[in-house]
Amino acid sequence: AQKVTQAQTEISVVEKEDVTLDCVYETRDTTYYLFWYKQPPSGELVFLIRRNSFDEQNEISGRYSWNFQKSTSSFNFTITASQVVDSAVYFCALYNYGQNFVFGPGTRLSVLP
Amino acid sequence: ETGVTQTPRHLVMGMTNKKSLKCEQHLGHNAMYWYKQSAKKPLELMFVYNFKEQTENNSVPSRFSPECPNSSHLFLHLHTLQPEDSALYLCASSQDGEQGRPRGTEAFFGQGTRLTVV
């Protein structure tokens, strides 16, 4: 069975702090894809990153970075120097053949000025 | 023009009404999805259409009826809904491989329809 766990329901930080959102997944497949999405108050899920199971290189994009560790089945997301505009619900998702997308429950991030 | 467009953005309907949600994607994708997002619950996959064929129906009540007339349009027909059906309904599309084999591409989402059943 496929499952995605985001243990942090809500996180609050003060602007300019760094924050890490955790994601742990379960799958029996060897080929799969992991994603992070951002859902601002407007409702639309905005794609942030895709990572396939054969690429464990960490990635950095501006203030965003992702740490993929197959050994612990984790795909954590770090925002450096957080800003108020980062306030949103963040979803981690898993996709593999025949299973479609499985989303975690989401982490609500509030960045306070 | 956004990639995935949903209309209406907000809908209030009575339990005896019939209404339809519309989703249109301008990305040339061949797979489309309906998700339901209720307060304090994970995103729930409702229906999947791949190459216009319904490939998944996650035990959704028959009061929800999807329609996919072509690869760019997806509808969700609603009738005799219950108050607990009130939620944000999200449409998404992605580019799947031939014969349903995934390319692992990301799904693009619309802004959703906020449905309230009274």
Side-chain angles (χ1 to χ4, degrees):
Chain A
Q2 277 60 234
K3 185 179 178 182
V4 176
T5 302
Q6 293 178 254
Q8 304 145 309
T9 305
E10 295 190 37
I11 300 176
S12 287
V13 298
V14 177
E15 207 170 17
K16 298 184 183 174
E17 285 184 2
D18 299 347
V19 58
T20 296
L21 310 182
D22 297 332
C23 173
V24 174
Y25 62 93
E26 294 176 29
T27 180
R28 293 196 182 119
D29 292 318
T30 55
T31 301
Y32 53 89
Y33 300 84
L34 295 163
F35 304 83
W36 274 96
Y37 284 87
K38 173 183 179 181
Q39 187 179 38
S42 59
E44 178 182 3
L45 269 74
V46 178
F47 165 76
L48 295 178
I49 189 172
R50 177 186 69 186
R51 172 68 70 231
N52 76 55
S53 53
F54 299 108
D55 181 4
E56 287 193 71
Q57 268 195 325
N58 291 328
E59 181 159 338
I60 298 175
S61 175
R63 295 184 297 107
Y64 295 169
S65 62
W66 290 270
N67 184 358
F68 177 30
Q69 303 230 349
K70 282 181 80 169
S71 59
T72 55
S73 297
S74 65
F75 186 42
N76 296 337
F77 172 32
T78 297
I79 302 175
T80 303
S82 59
Q83 301 176 1
V84 173
V85 293
D86 296 326
S87 297
V89 181
Y90 290 85
F91 291 94
C92 180
L94 168 69
Y95 178 92
N96 50 14
Y97 176 59
Q99 302 295 330
N100 296 303
F101 290 90
V102 175
F103 284 83
T107 296
R108 181 176 298 278
L109 173 65
S110 298
V111 181
L112 308 173
Chain B
E1 188 175 73
T2 58
V4 181
T5 305
Q6 288 186 245
T7 54
R9 292 292 311 281
H10 301 273
L11 177 63
V12 178
M13 59 186 288
M15 289 190 283
T16 58
N17 291 158
K18 288 185 181 180
K19 296 286 185 185
S20 295
L21 310 186
K22 179 182 176 182
C23 176
E24 185 173 1
Q25 58 100 356
H26 311 278
L27 302 167
H29 290 164
N30 53 24
M32 296 186 77
Y33 312 78
W34 279 117
Y35 283 88
K36 175 183 179 182
Q37 187 178 29
S38 305
K40 301 187 185 300
K41 291 180 71 175
L43 278 162
E44 301 172 59
L45 178 64
M46 300 175 72
F47 300 104
V48 180
Y49 276 83
N50 209 303
F51 294 95
K52 299 186 296 179
E53 299 293 324
Q54 185 176 316
T55 58
E56 188 143 346
N57 174 344
N58 274 2
S59 303
V60 180
S62 59
R63 57 186 184 270
F64 294 92
S65 173
E67 179 190 1
C68 188
N70 55 61
S71 57
S72 298
H73 294 85
L74 184 65
F75 295 89
L76 187 63
H77 303 300
L78 316 171
H79 65 98
T80 59
L81 295 191
Q82 305 297 313
E84 60 264 28
D85 296 322
S86 299
L88 179 68
Y89 288 85
L90 290 160
C91 173
S93 72
S94 68
Q95 183 63 27
D96 272 355
E98 295 297 325
Q99 298 178 347
R101 295 184 65 82
R103 293 183 188 173
T105 183
E106 59 273 21
F108 289 85
F109 284 79
Q111 290 187 297
T113 295
R114 174 72 62 187
L115 173 68
T116 303
V117 181
V118 297

